[in-house]
Amino acid sequence: METTRMHLSSPRARRLAAGATAVALGATIAAAAALGAAPANAASADVTDASLSWSLSNEANAGAYFGGCNFLSAGVAGNSGASAPWTATNPSPGYAASAGNVSIAYPTTAGGTSTPTFATKCQTGDGTTVTPATSTRGVLTLAEGTGTVDAAAGTADIAWDGGFTVAFYGGLTYWSAEDPELHVAADGTGELTATVSGYAASRDGGSWAPLTPRTVHLATLTDVDVTSTGITVSPDWQGVEPASATSLNKTNADWGSWPADFVDFQNETGQSSYWYTSGANDAAAKKPQPISIAYTAAEAPTPEPTTPVTPEPTTEPSEPGTPEPTTEPSEPGTPEPTTEPSEPGTPEPTTGPTAGPTTEPTTAPTTPAPSISTGGTTTFTVGDSVPLRAEGLPTATKYSIVLHSDPVVLGTVTTDADGAFATSVVIPADTPAGAHTIAVESSDGTAVVSLAITVTADGTVVVDPVDTTTAVTTGAAVNTGGTVSGTSALPWIGLSAVAVVALGSVAFIAYRRRVTQQD
């Protein structure tokens, strides 16, 4: 034991140990970088404030030949006891414009919204009573949705607490949906499901019985674009052909249906033919309107590759009580170990391991340029709700959405903390055929971003495919900004770790050369 202690405390032994320590230090940092630079699910983010806005269909908000109108109501309605129009007191709970996380609003021509009441539920936001050919364009909103989104992978799982009711013919027949859930897969397909309940009814009042609650698809989805700020998508419709849609009419080129299990349920409520094309020209009224979902995605934790404490590679191990190696006595003429010469061009080992990696992984993503899109859907009809999603704008700023060339204000929005917004606007039914522009304008009338559209003679609204493609592409690049930052750091960290190992090896070789010369 005595011989061993004397050997370890000799200058030659300490120099050998210092070289080995440098090599081991480099290997340790390399391992730490490899572990710390690639956390699982780095792109996945939690959301706690997701809002879903949807009109369901124009038919669900239209005037009716009996009972005044079809309408949306917040909350799950109680049992009215018979197939009859609702009153202010029956059912109970009955009509409501808000209930928990659910609310109903009617847009106005000035771009705002109004809150309907039982007395005004069959009037537009401007106070005009609707007819079977017009709609209140009511918008249902579910707030406070929670879940996860991964914009890089294109996946999302969000759930909402709360319910709503859809009544036809003033309440002659109605059903409710509770606790919707959205699931989007990496291939862009998705579904919106909910637990539905209601009553078996007939318009002549001959039957009335509670139905067994069940989970059905409110919408099936294709080509869903999941971004870091929201989702806008038009549910599947065209070409959908449920077996239970016995009177499906395929005369119109846009014929289609809501999901099969949803139509099966509506066969029991008495509403089935209102959810698929049963006439030659009713597709525009019955097809599902776009779904808009907005949220704030919490950023994934930034990896900390420098978390392990990095010891100075020049600090030599010593026994307790041994002076620091930079001050201990050395052999006559021998320079201090920390200043001994190294090979030409070899950097000092004290500068290698503590370079750049402490700042690279946290570099902020580049601010995106303003962009706007309709969520991938490029064809609408005048009078439809057109979803709009914009990114790259100043935060917490109010804008007007204006249709040109004859200016018509379609609505107002305020950007969120990420400089984005998601909303829906309606292209007026009297918009003349020709080229138009939907512009997002600041308070002084300056257009900060715009979207070109063309209205055809038959009322079809076609979104400029160049503008839409550009906006979607730009958004995708922005959404992966955080992931790109974290990923781009990997090769840098790896090279730094290799450099540390190399420096340690050089230091070790230098020590060996010196020792050999002295020995």
Side-chain angles (χ1 to χ4, degrees), residues 143-219:
E144 305 299 327
T146 60
T148 59
V149 297
D150 188 333
T155 60
D157 295 281
I158 306 175
W160 289 266
D161 291 328
F164 60 91
T165 299
V166 182
F168 274 51
Y169 289 93
L172 205 67
T173 167
Y174 60 94
W175 57 276
S176 301
E178 292 182 86
D179 303 335
E181 293 185 7
L182 173 76
H183 301 287
V184 180
D187 62 359
T189 60
E191 61 182 16
L192 180 65
T193 62
T195 300
V196 294
S197 59
Y199 303 89
S202 62
R203 281 175 289 180
D204 60 7
S207 64
W208 188 258
L211 297 173
T212 301
R214 70 206 72 175
T215 298
V216 303
H217 290 82
L218 298 182

Side-chain angles (χ1 to χ4, degrees), residues 7 22 42 202 206 238:
H7 178 70
S202 62
Q238 192 171 36

Side-chain angles (χ1 to χ4, degrees), residues 5 23 32 45 91 132 136 167 169 175 192 195 250 287 310 317-318 370 391 393 445 472:
R5 281 196 296 271
V23 174
T136 63
Y169 289 93
W175 57 276
L192 180 65
T195 300
K250 301 180 182 179
K287 69 180 181 181
T310 304
S318 60
E391 299 176 339
L393 303 173
V472 172

Side-chain angles (χ1 to χ4, degrees), residues 149-396:
V149 297
D150 188 333
T155 60
D157 295 281
I158 306 175
W160 289 266
D161 291 328
F164 60 91
T165 299
V166 182
F168 274 51
Y169 289 93
L172 205 67
T173 167
Y174 60 94
W175 57 276
S176 301
E178 292 182 86
D179 303 335
E181 293 185 7
L182 173 76
H183 301 287
V184 180
D187 62 359
T189 60
E191 61 182 16
L192 180 65
T193 62
T195 300
V196 294
S197 59
Y199 303 89
S202 62
R203 281 175 289 180
D204 60 7
S207 64
W208 188 258
L211 297 173
T212 301
R214 70 206 72 175
T215 298
V216 303
H217 290 82
L218 298 182
T220 57
L221 312 170
T222 305
D223 296 330
V224 183
D225 180 20
V226 177
T227 78
S228 61
T229 58
I231 300 168
T232 301
V233 61
S234 292
D236 297 339
W237 159 267
Q238 192 171 36
V240 176
E241 187 175 0
S244 61
T246 55
S247 58
L248 182 67
N249 188 311
K250 301 180 182 179
T251 304
N252 191 297
D254 196 23
W255 68 268
S257 173
W258 287 57
D261 55 352
F262 179 82
V263 173
D264 292 345
F265 171 72
Q266 298 300 345
N267 274 324
E268 299 180 47
T269 66
Q271 292 185 15
S272 62
S273 62
Y274 292 97
W275 303 99
Y276 58 82
T277 49
S278 58
N281 300 301
D282 56 5
K286 296 179 179 179
K287 69 180 181 181
Q289 292 296 298
I291 299 172
S292 293
I293 301 170
Y295 45 71
T296 302
E299 294 184 0
T302 301
E304 296 291 341
T306 58
T307 298
V309 177
T310 304
E312 292 294 329
T314 57
T315 302
E316 301 178 3
S318 60
E319 296 179 322
T322 301
E324 292 296 321
T326 56
T327 59
E328 67 173 33
S330 60
E331 295 178 351
T334 301
E336 294 298 326
T338 57
T339 60
E340 67 175 65
S342 58
E343 294 183 354
T346 302
E348 292 295 327
T350 57
T351 62
T354 57
T358 56
T359 58
E360 175 67 14
T362 56
T363 301
T366 304
T367 301
S371 65
I372 187 171
S373 75
T374 56
T377 303
T378 58
T379 303
F380 303 90
T381 303
V382 291
D384 281 355
S385 293
V386 176
L388 295 177
R389 183 175 65 249
E391 299 176 339
L393 303 173
T395 62

Side-chain angles (χ1 to χ4, degrees), residues 22-78:
V23 174
L25 174 62
T28 301
I29 293 176
L35 291 174
N41 277 335
S44 181
D46 293 332
V47 297
T48 59
D49 62 350
S51 64
L52 183 155
S53 297
W54 195 17
S55 294
L56 274 75
S57 70
N58 288 334
E59 188 74 62
N61 295 278
Y65 291 104
F66 180 81
C69 66
N70 308 327
F71 58 85
L72 308 177
S73 178
V76 176

Side-chain angles (χ1 to χ4, degrees), residues 30-40 42 302-306 361 483 485-491 493-494:
L35 291 174
T302 301
E304 296 291 341
T306 58
T483 306
S485 175
T487 304
S488 63
L490 294 178
I493 293 171

